[in-house]
Amino acid sequence: MLRQHEFQIRVRYEDADPMGLLHHSTYFVYFEIGRTELLRASGGNYRLMEEEGLFVVVAKSECIYHKPARYDDLLTIRTTVKRITPAKIEHEYFALRDGERLATGRVTLAMVDRNGEVQRIPDWLQEAEIGEH
Amino acid sequence: MLRQHEFQIRVRYEDADPMGLLHHSTYFVYFEIGRTELLRASGGNYRLMEEEGLFVVVAKSECIYHKPARYDDLLTIRTTVKRITPAKIEHEYFALRDGERLATGRVTLAMVDRNGEVQRIPDWLQEAEIGEH
Amino acid sequence: MLRQHEFQIRVRYEDADPMGLLHHSTYFVYFEIGRTELLRASGGNYRLMEEEGLFVVVAKSECIYHKPARYDDLLTIRTTVKRITPAKIEHEYFALRDGERLATGRVTLAMVDRNGEVQRIPDWLQEAEIGEH
Amino acid sequence: MLRQHEFQIRVRYEDADPMGLLHHSTYFVYFEIGRTELLRASGGNYRLMEEEGLFVVVAKSECIYHKPARYDDLLTIRTTVKRITPAKIEHEYFALRDGERLATGRVTLAMVDRNGEVQRIPDWLQEAEIGEH
């Protein structure tokens, strides 16, 4: 599995607030797209995982905002796998505009089944880091 | 079942756009709260309906915007049942500020089961109109 | 100016509801991206228009939902200019998945200045239709 | 100014994700309502502050998710002022359901003027802590 992935996203009018800036909560939506696309680029598919009964839940999220992103800005979201254990996955995210970092995020994920019972992270996901480091 | 219901909602910062105005798509979110609360006030519960396998889907939505609502405005959403047949439910919605109408919506609903198959509207919902007209 | 434009968008996890379906209000967000990108592909820029004091407001919106879109579906949004007068612009929108139409929207826009006063649609926007029909 | 404030909010259908759970990014929207209502309950008004040229920007946000909130749950958001200096304001947030804590958030705010220049936190806001501790 890949260790890093980038995609571009343009700030929607609806995602900007009365200051004309990307709302601080929406970065977490962009980060979620980042890890979904990292998985897809690695040959996985989150929708299929859910259909097979394995669900990702967020245990912790944080973001530091260095500079604001504005409506219509074209951002690059760079997602990096930082740590995978049998219990959790940690990604780091950079939101970049023209190479300048606007925000730094970190989100910790766990996995549960349909009943919300915590599950072991599958080996094929854990191997991500082993293969790439 | 009740034929009309009102509730108040304050425009969230996140729901306002760079003009400082409530985004036009968000009225439909407010209208959805309106019909959910109309059902609750009538003794029903949409979450329970879903747990029992009956799902509401939107067949058609429309809204006319008379005047803009701004961030932090306190709005009244008035939901009125306009028509219920075995196949569909139609509600009309007014978004009001200090008694002045800002928007008029109309949404047509149908019901499906877990597989997306169209279902007959339950009698207890149809009786809404019979009892109130 | 172009008369028609298409772009692709993948349904975000956050934009899907508890049924796993794209929320009906979010189509209007996709349609807004559609007209913004149509303008950009024609050499215009909505952010610049706002900076110059010309704002688009939505006068009327409607959508008919034929079939549901699901989380992670890759949709094509096709935006078509239907009518431009000095007072308003009407676009039609198709949401397509693998060529199948899932939803049909129609949104009417007007233009205002910073004080909310209605403005005449600029000639260069009106010429869109003349040049393309 | 008050040091703590609580309000209740029901999880909207649109704010729940395909798991039927409140999306992790939306807690930050609820927290923002919390600090806005704390200010209002203290006699302030954020919209007026913006009209007078003082804007709040988020410098850092974080949230730990203990248990999921579901669609239609009635949550209590408890906002507490943790620290106010001339440079920043820190609030802590609890999301509670029937007295049980589902999430713990912490958000650091700074203030800027219309040009994005950092501003000193006004004395009347700083006095919040002095008066209440």
Side-chain angles (χ1 to χ4, degrees):
Chain A
M1 193 168 135
L2 297 174
R3 201 173 154 340
Q4 193 168 88
H5 178 267
E6 284 189 8
F7 80 102
Q8 289 196 308
I9 190 162
R10 195 177 285 280
V11 177
R12 300 175 179 179
Y13 199 76
E14 188 256 352
D15 286 343
D17 63 20
M19 279 190 268
L21 308 180
L22 178 58
H23 195 262
H24 64 284
S25 69
T26 310
Y27 287 86
F28 294 105
V29 176
Y30 292 3
F31 298 161
E32 182 173 60
I33 300 173
R35 57 183 176 264
T36 304
E37 294 305 320
L38 168 62
L39 181 61
R40 195 189 318 275
S42 304
N45 184 302
Y46 183 63
R47 188 164 80 178
L48 285 181
M49 276 177 55
E50 284 211 347
E51 286 169 7
E52 287 161 7
L54 203 55
F55 297 82
V56 165
V57 289
V58 177
K60 190 180 172 191
S61 65
E62 56 179 298
C63 188
I64 298 172
Y65 308 90
H66 314 293
K67 291 202 168 182
R70 294 172 60 216
Y71 160 59
D72 209 49
D73 279 350
L74 188 61
L75 305 182
T76 297
I77 306 297
R78 183 183 299 157
T79 304
T80 308
V81 179
K82 295 305 280 186
R83 208 157 70 99
I84 306 187
T85 72
K88 60 187 178 188
I89 305 176
E90 271 182 52
H91 292 103
E92 186 181 68
Y93 308 87
F94 289 178
L96 305 152
R97 182 184 54 207
D98 300 331
E100 183 183 34
R101 204 199 310 177
L102 305 184
T104 306
R106 192 173 276 256
V107 177
T108 306
L109 308 172
M111 287 195 173
V112 298
D113 64 12
R114 274 184 220 288
N115 305 313
E117 297 293 322
V118 175
Q119 301 294 301
R120 203 172 176 278
I121 310 290
D123 288 340
W124 63 272
L125 272 173
Q126 289 189 56
E127 279 153 27
E129 221 187 8
I130 302 165
E132 299 286 333
H133 262 199
Chain B
M1 193 168 136
L2 297 174
R3 201 173 155 336
Q4 193 168 88
H5 178 266
E6 284 189 8
F7 79 102
Q8 289 196 309
I9 192 162
R10 196 177 286 280
V11 177
R12 300 175 179 180
Y13 200 74
E14 188 257 353
D15 286 343
D17 63 21
M19 280 190 267
L21 308 181
L22 177 59
H23 195 263
H24 64 284
S25 69
T26 309
Y27 287 87
F28 293 105
V29 176
Y30 290 4
F31 297 161
E32 183 174 58
I33 299 174
R35 58 183 176 263
T36 304
E37 294 306 319
L38 168 62
L39 181 61
R40 194 189 318 276
S42 306
N45 185 302
Y46 182 62
R47 187 164 81 178
L48 285 182
M49 275 177 55
E50 283 210 346
E51 286 169 8
E52 287 163 6
L54 202 54
F55 298 81
V56 165
V57 289
V58 177
K60 189 180 173 191
S61 65
E62 56 179 299
C63 189
I64 299 172
Y65 308 90
H66 313 295
K67 291 202 169 183
R70 294 174 60 216
Y71 160 59
D72 209 48
D73 280 350
L74 187 60
L75 304 183
T76 297
I77 306 297
R78 181 184 299 158
T79 304
T80 307
V81 180
K82 295 305 279 186
R83 208 155 71 98
I84 306 187
T85 70
K88 61 185 177 189
I89 304 176
E90 271 182 51
H91 292 103
E92 186 182 67
Y93 308 87
F94 289 178
L96 305 151
R97 182 183 55 207
D98 300 331
E100 183 184 33
R101 204 196 311 176
L102 305 183
T104 305
R106 192 173 276 253
V107 177
T108 305
L109 308 172
M111 287 195 172
V112 299
D113 64 13
R114 274 185 220 288
N115 304 314
E117 297 293 323
V118 176
Q119 301 294 301
R120 201 173 177 281
I121 309 291
D123 288 340
W124 63 271
L125 273 172
Q126 289 189 54
E127 278 153 25
E129 222 188 8
I130 301 164
E132 299 286 335
H133 263 199
Chain C
M1 192 168 136
L2 297 175
R3 200 175 155 337
Q4 192 168 88
H5 178 267
E6 284 189 9
F7 79 103
Q8 289 197 307
I9 191 162
R10 195 178 285 279
V11 178
R12 301 175 178 179
Y13 199 76
E14 188 256 353
D15 286 343
D17 64 20
M19 280 191 267
L21 308 180
L22 177 58
H23 195 263
H24 64 283
S25 68
T26 309
Y27 287 87
F28 293 105
V29 176
Y30 290 4
F31 298 161
E32 182 174 60
I33 300 173
R35 58 183 176 263
T36 304
E37 294 305 320
L38 168 62
L39 181 61
R40 194 188 319 276
S42 306
N45 184 301
Y46 183 62
R47 188 164 81 177
L48 286 182
M49 275 176 55
E50 283 211 347
E51 287 169 7
E52 289 162 6
L54 202 54
F55 298 81
V56 165
V57 289
V58 177
K60 189 180 173 190
S61 65
E62 56 180 300
C63 189
I64 298 172
Y65 308 90
H66 313 295
K67 291 201 169 185
R70 294 173 60 216
Y71 160 60
D72 209 48
D73 279 350
L74 188 61
L75 305 183
T76 297
I77 306 297
R78 182 184 299 158
T79 303
T80 308
V81 180
K82 294 306 280 185
R83 208 156 71 98
I84 305 187
T85 71
K88 61 187 176 187
I89 305 176
E90 271 182 54
H91 292 103
E92 186 182 67
Y93 307 87
F94 289 178
L96 305 151
R97 182 183 55 208
D98 300 331
E100 183 183 35
R101 204 198 310 177
L102 305 183
T104 306
R106 191 174 276 255
V107 177
T108 306
L109 309 172
M111 287 195 172
V112 298
D113 64 12
R114 273 184 220 288
N115 305 314
E117 297 293 322
V118 176
Q119 300 294 301
R120 202 172 176 281
I121 309 290
D123 288 340
W124 62 273
L125 272 172
Q126 289 190 55
E127 278 153 26
E129 223 188 7
I130 302 164
E132 299 286 333
H133 262 200
Chain D
M1 193 168 135
L2 297 175
R3 202 173 153 338
Q4 192 168 87
H5 178 266
E6 284 189 9
F7 79 102
Q8 289 197 308
I9 192 163
R10 195 177 285 281
V11 178
R12 300 175 178 180
Y13 199 75
E14 188 256 353
D15 286 342
D17 64 19
M19 280 191 266
L21 308 180
L22 178 58
H23 194 263
H24 64 283
S25 69
T26 309
Y27 287 87
F28 293 105
V29 176
Y30 291 4
F31 298 160
E32 183 174 59
I33 300 174
R35 58 184 174 262
T36 304
E37 294 305 319
L38 168 62
L39 181 61
R40 195 189 317 276
S42 305
N45 183 302
Y46 183 62
R47 188 165 79 179
L48 286 181
M49 276 177 55
E50 284 210 347
E51 287 169 6
E52 287 162 7
L54 202 54
F55 298 82
V56 166
V57 289
V58 176
K60 189 179 173 191
S61 65
E62 57 180 300
C63 188
I64 299 172
Y65 308 91
H66 313 294
K67 291 202 168 184
R70 294 173 61 215
Y71 160 58
D72 209 47
D73 279 350
L74 187 61
L75 304 183
T76 297
I77 305 298
R78 183 184 299 158
T79 304
T80 307
V81 180
K82 295 305 280 186
R83 209 157 70 98
I84 306 187
T85 72
K88 61 186 175 186
I89 305 176
E90 271 183 52
H91 292 102
E92 186 182 67
Y93 307 88
F94 289 179
L96 305 152
R97 183 183 54 206
D98 300 330
E100 184 183 33
R101 204 196 313 176
L102 305 184
T104 305
R106 194 174 273 255
V107 177
T108 305
L109 309 173
M111 287 195 174
V112 298
D113 64 11
R114 272 183 222 287
N115 305 314
E117 297 294 323
V118 175
Q119 301 294 301
R120 203 172 177 281
I121 309 289
D123 288 339
W124 62 272
L125 273 172
Q126 289 189 56
E127 280 153 25
E129 223 186 8
I130 302 164
E132 300 285 333
H133 262 201

